[in-house]
Amino acid sequence: MTQYNNTRLLQALKRQPVDVPPVWLMRQAGRYLPEYRALRTKAGDFLTLCQTPQLATEITLQPLRRFDLDAAILFSDILTIPHAMGLGLSFQEGEGPQFAKRIETARDVKALPILEVEENLDYVLEAVRMIQQELQGRVPLIGFAGSPWTVACYMIEGSSHKNFINARKMAYQAPEVLTALLEKLITATTAYLKGQILAGVDVVMLFDTWGGLLTPAHYPLFSLTPMQKIITNLKADPNTANTPIILFSKGAVSHLEVMADSGADALGLDWTSALSAARTRVGAKVCVQGNLDPALLFSTPEKIKAAVKSVLNEWGPHPGLIVNLGHGIEQHTPIENVQALIAAVHEG
Ligand code: CP3
């Protein structure tokens, strides 16, 4: 077992008391950091960064060199799974992801190969091992995957879309095709997260960025149930049962109670819902992670300090809070404001 210097995140995930709440930021490694931009320019493109373990390791560590963060998050992407399944992912500068092939029919789903994590995603496992070597127990490492629904959105659409109309249409026109795709992604994601845990990540997070696009009837069917199956699979295997799981369904706060029953250890909240109300609704069942507005980081250190204070006061003395943003940090975020946020959490 790794001995950690900083156990705040792991303690909070067990709802144990901590000196101050742990803080980390979604997309903490990324384009707001000049050292990230320099490496990306040198490497040529984003996928090369993900697929080169030395570079992924370096980028994972970049924000930890600047800030007193309580966790590292693996530098990778949720779209590595469909890429490994042969859909041909690329990222054009200034644009979102683009797939060469997209999923439209039952035949397309059937043709998707079974993911062999050790072969197809070995570069991710290697990055995890290298990062842990470098971290030397300084902070825990978070691994991650996209939720099956969110990854399916990109596979069906073929690229980013503001409301993923083709994936939502499939939920009505061909629910059996969507379900078959989600089943394949449940299997692949379970294997992928197991691989990451065996390679050394300490916590895993499921990013369900597009769960909030679904109707109240479709959310449990197409978003929550597949995530729940992954959680059940991980909790049923003695090798992975003790690894805490964070579930983040953006824009889906109306489903908080059922999420709290999913088996996840923590729930991510976006900035549109209050922490205190969330705590009342989920009680001590799960930890809560969130929920500062990424736009707050474009204000001033004073305003950031006040916002952090109000989050900490609102939450109160209860264990089980992880301070984070309600979504990924934005590209042009001033670095001194990130510093101010982290310092404000640690000053309490
Ligand atoms: O949090 C971290 O620091 C770890 C790294 C991480 C990335 N992507 C790196 C990245 C994580 C956890 C993700 C998850 C991810 N990827 C999600 C879920 C979380 C979320 O933000 O909603 C989604 C939907 C994706 C898919 C994706 N990857 C898109 C739509 C894009 C392009 C648009 C954008 O926001 O940049 C990416 C590219 C991407 N993934 C970048 C980074 C640092 C930017 C690449 C670049 O231009 O250098």
Side-chain angles (χ1 to χ4, degrees):
M1 277 304 275
T2 314
Q3 289 291 313
Y4 291 96
N5 302 327
N6 176 339
T7 56
R8 282 183 192 128
L9 179 74
L10 300 174
Q11 281 172 275
L13 282 165
K14 290 187 204 144
R15 270 89 71 208
Q16 291 170 353
V18 280
D19 55 348
V20 287
V23 54
W24 70 278
L25 305 178
M26 286 190 265
R27 295 278 183 101
Q28 65 190 23
R31 284 171 301 194
Y32 72 106
L33 291 175
E35 58 271 37
Y36 167 80
R37 294 196 299 270
L39 260 191
R40 195 191 56 180
T41 305
K42 215 164 115 192
D45 69 300
F46 170 72
L47 264 187
T48 304
L49 298 178
C50 293
Q51 291 173 335
T52 313
Q54 289 84 350
L55 295 177
T57 299
E58 172 58 23
I59 295 168
T60 300
L61 297 171
Q62 283 176 345
L64 285 117
R65 298 208 180 97
R66 282 185 182 263
F67 313 118
D68 187 18
L69 290 156
D70 295 307
I73 177 161
L74 167 69
F75 182 81
S76 190
D77 200 80
I78 65 165
L79 301 179
T80 50
I81 288 184
H83 185 52
M85 286 175 159
L87 293 198
L89 176 64
S90 62
F91 284 86
Q92 304 306 326
E93 178 85 51
E95 282 167 48
Q98 185 72 46
F99 284 109
K101 283 189 247 173
R102 61 189 200 93
I103 301 296
E104 291 173 281
T105 63
R107 189 189 292 179
D108 295 338
V109 175
K110 218 171 174 166
L112 287 171
I114 294 185
L115 187 72
E116 299 292 344
V117 177
E118 303 281 338
E119 267 170 55
N120 309 133
L121 289 167
D122 57 327
Y123 60 88
V124 177
L125 307 184
E126 185 54 22
V128 170
R129 289 186 281 264
M130 288 180 74
I131 295 162
Q132 287 292 36
Q133 276 277 316
E134 293 289 323
L135 280 174
Q136 292 285 322
R138 177 177 154 194
V139 289
L141 175 64
I142 303 169
F144 69 90
S147 74
W149 161 250
T150 294
V151 174
C153 279
Y154 289 98
M155 294 170 83
I156 295 163
E157 206 71 50
S159 61
S160 279
H161 189 281
K162 68 177 182 314
N163 58 26
F164 291 95
I165 184 64
N166 285 309
R168 284 162 51 228
K169 266 163 47 182
M170 192 184 274
Y172 292 96
Q173 292 178 335
E176 68 293 345
V177 176
L178 178 57
T179 304
L181 174 57
L182 294 170
E183 283 300 327
K184 284 213 164 175
L185 288 170
I186 292 165
T187 307
T189 308
T190 300
Y192 186 41
L193 290 176
K194 279 188 181 183
Q196 290 185 31
I197 294 170
L198 293 179
V201 303
D202 303 291
V203 174
V204 292
M205 176 152 163
L206 281 168
F207 283 89
D208 185 35
T209 307
W210 304 119
L213 292 180
L214 290 165
T215 65
H218 279 172
Y219 175 80
L221 273 180
F222 299 121
S223 173
L224 187 65
T225 302
M227 292 194 285
Q228 212 158 5
K229 287 185 180 172
I230 294 167
I231 295 169
T232 305
N233 291 341
L234 295 177
K235 298 284 181 192
D237 180 338
N239 292 312
T240 54
N242 295 324
T243 303
I245 302 170
I246 306 171
L247 188 161
F248 173 52
S249 266
K250 187 168 171 286
V253 71
S254 57
H255 303 285
L256 215 55
E257 288 83 358
V258 280
M259 281 187 231
D261 288 329
S262 66
D265 298 87
L267 301 182
L269 270 198
D270 64 41
W271 63 91
T272 60
S273 42
L275 273 183
S276 49
R279 208 183 59 79
T280 311
R281 288 170 59 193
V282 301
K285 235 183 237 176
V286 286
C287 208
V288 176
Q289 173 173 285
N291 69 339
L292 294 159
D293 186 350
L296 167 71
L297 288 174
F298 291 86
S299 70
T300 60
E302 293 69 35
K303 285 189 181 160
I304 292 164
K305 203 171 172 174
V308 167
K309 254 201 162 33
S310 107
V311 158
L312 299 180
N313 287 339
E314 187 185 333
W315 182 263
H318 315 278
L321 172 67
I322 301 166
V323 180
N324 203 320
L325 301 176
H327 199 199
I329 190 166
E330 294 283 337
Q331 181 174 2
H332 300 291
T333 300
I335 287 171
E336 60 278 16
N337 287 350
V338 178
Q339 182 73 51
L341 186 155
I342 292 159
V345 177
H346 287 157
E347 282 157 18

